Amino acid sequence: MSGDHNPIHLDDEFAQSVGLPGRILHGLYTMALLARAQTDGLGGPEHLKRLAVQFRGIALPEHEIVISSVVKERSAERAVVSVTAQQQGKAIVRGATAELEL
């Protein structure tokens, strides 16, 4: 739980009343998806040493989020990965960087 009980994340009607298309996902949820995408192949979250994220758009429930990762630096012990996330062709996270222990 993020502790964020803002109705834009919980109530479609309220979210629409403030100009959103409906409920939106918590940014922390999107960030968790990015973290998991980086660490699943390494064996778990203990390999994530740092994650920096720039949120660029809203994410909606029940729509696919596509995460793309590119290794920018690599040594025997660590990798630095550039990460983006898109939903329906729009960037929701851009300029994210993950540092991973290999």
Side-chain angles (χ1 to χ4, degrees):
M1 285 297 271
S2 71
D4 181 352
H5 302 288
N6 188 323
I8 63 172
H9 302 302
L10 305 170
D11 184 327
D12 275 320
E13 197 172 294
F14 178 85
Q16 291 169 350
S17 78
V18 296
L20 296 168
R23 290 178 296 123
I24 64 171
L25 294 174
H26 285 84
L28 289 177
Y29 175 76
T30 306
M31 192 171 177
L33 291 177
L34 292 176
R36 178 177 280 175
Q38 304 316 301
T39 61
D40 272 358
L42 295 173
E46 65 275 10
H47 293 279
L48 182 65
K49 298 307 170 190
R50 188 177 70 81
L51 180 61
V53 175
Q54 297 176 13
F55 297 105
R56 292 293 181 221
I58 59 172
L60 303 172
E62 302 176 13
H63 291 272
E64 181 179 46
I65 295 174
V66 177
I67 298 170
S68 302
S69 306
V70 176
V71 176
K72 293 296 188 179
E73 299 174 32
R74 183 176 177 168
S75 69
E77 299 85 30
R78 74 177 190 105
V80 176
V81 180
S82 174
V83 187
T84 60
Q86 292 188 344
Q87 189 178 67
Q88 298 180 307
K90 296 178 184 171
I92 56 174
V93 171
R94 184 172 47 209
T97 304
E99 185 174 333
L100 306 161
E101 183 178 77
L102 303 177

